[in-house]
Amino acid sequence: HNLFFGYPKINPESEEKLQEIMDNLYSNINDDMEAIMAFKAQIKSFEIIQNLQKTTSRLEPDKPITDRQRNAIFKKLNEFCQINAEDETIKNIIDKINFTIENGKTGKDFNNLANEMWKELSPYQTTISGKNMEDSIKDALESINNTKNKFIQNIIEPKYRSKAAELLNKWISLKVK
């Protein structure tokens, strides 16, 4: 009978070794995926700030903002806060946003906030290695692919490699969403 397993066949040296290999695979891929999500959040945050700067720069500085303007600004600020809710490193900015939402009245108040947000966060447009967020995402994706390919080549029997790659790709796609 030409039966085909529902999962890729592997030949581990021991159960402990297999568990270690699987833990390393999961850890490496998971770390890279978390980095990608953080880079994407950073990109989106900068887009929101730049949009907010553009919007608030058109406001009359000494006049109170209208309800329509307030709603548009609050929507952007709320989106920024939602994206960065878990980031303790920008608590200061979140506090400034909350203060301005409660106390801001004029175009100048909100323009100053947008400019302060940019001033505080703009140094983080690049990573420690000096790369921009888009390049860092590409590097993380390459790292995921390298990790996945090494695992498949070193652990999975050749006839099951395409199925293993397919399963890993599905898992990675679901994890990134």
Side-chain angles (χ1 to χ4, degrees), residues 153-165:
Q153 293 299 317
N154 294 328
I155 304 299
I156 308 296
E157 288 184 19
K159 66 181 181 180
Y160 299 108
R161 288 180 181 160
S162 64
K163 184 66 174 171

Side-chain angles (χ1 to χ4, degrees), residues 91-101 113 116 120:
K91 185 179 179 334
N92 184 37
I93 292 173
I94 301 295
D95 290 344
K96 287 179 183 180
I97 290 171
N98 290 331
F99 179 82
T100 306
I101 285 174
L113 173 64
E116 284 181 45
E120 284 194 40

Side-chain angles (χ1 to χ4, degrees), residues 5 25 33 61 88 91 101 111 130 150 152 155 163 167 170 175:
F5 292 101
L25 173 72
M33 287 191 290
E88 288 294 317
K91 185 179 179 334
I101 285 174
N111 192 29
K150 283 179 191 173
I152 291 169
I155 304 299
K163 184 66 174 171
L167 291 171
K170 284 181 182 178
K175 184 95 171 127

Side-chain angles (χ1 to χ4, degrees), residues 30-125:
N30 195 53
D31 289 349
D32 285 330
M33 287 191 290
E34 286 179 6
I36 289 170
M37 290 186 282
F39 296 143
K40 286 182 176 182
Q42 193 79 341
I43 290 168
K44 184 65 179 166
S45 294
F46 285 120
E47 288 172 358
I48 291 169
I49 294 170
Q50 288 172 327
N51 190 294
L52 194 58
Q53 283 182 306
K54 187 176 174 181
T55 300
T56 59
S57 69
R58 290 189 226 132
L59 300 175
E60 294 189 45
D62 298 323
K63 288 191 174 181
I65 61 173
T66 66
D67 287 340
R68 185 170 170 239
Q69 292 166 332
R70 180 177 298 278
N71 289 338
I73 292 169
F74 282 15
K75 182 178 178 182
K76 292 171 189 159
L77 292 173
N78 285 328
E79 184 180 4
F80 179 88
C81 289
Q82 286 175 349
I83 290 170
N84 295 286
E86 304 295 320
D87 189 349
E88 288 294 317
T89 63
I90 63 165
K91 185 179 179 334
N92 184 37
I93 292 173
I94 301 295
D95 290 344
K96 287 179 183 180
I97 290 171
N98 290 331
F99 179 82
T100 306
I101 285 174
E102 290 177 23
N103 301 303
K105 305 271 187 259
T106 65
K108 182 178 180 181
D109 295 334
F110 290 96
N111 192 29
N112 287 344
L113 173 64
N115 291 334
E116 284 181 45
M117 291 169 69
W118 181 257
K119 183 179 176 184
E120 284 194 40
L121 289 179
S122 65
Y124 303 107
Q125 290 184 79

Side-chain angles (χ1 to χ4, degrees), residues 4-11 22 25 29 144-145 147-173:
F4 207 53
F5 292 101
Y7 54 90
K9 185 178 179 188
I10 57 176
N11 291 319
M22 295 303 293
L25 173 72
I29 290 177
I144 288 171
N145 283 326
T147 300
K148 178 185 70 174
N149 291 337
K150 283 179 191 173
F151 171 78
I152 291 169
Q153 293 299 317
N154 294 328
I155 304 299
I156 308 296
E157 288 184 19
K159 66 181 181 180
Y160 299 108
R161 288 180 181 160
S162 64
K163 184 66 174 171
E166 180 184 328
L167 291 171
L168 283 172
N169 287 336
K170 284 181 182 178
W171 172 66
I172 291 167
S173 293

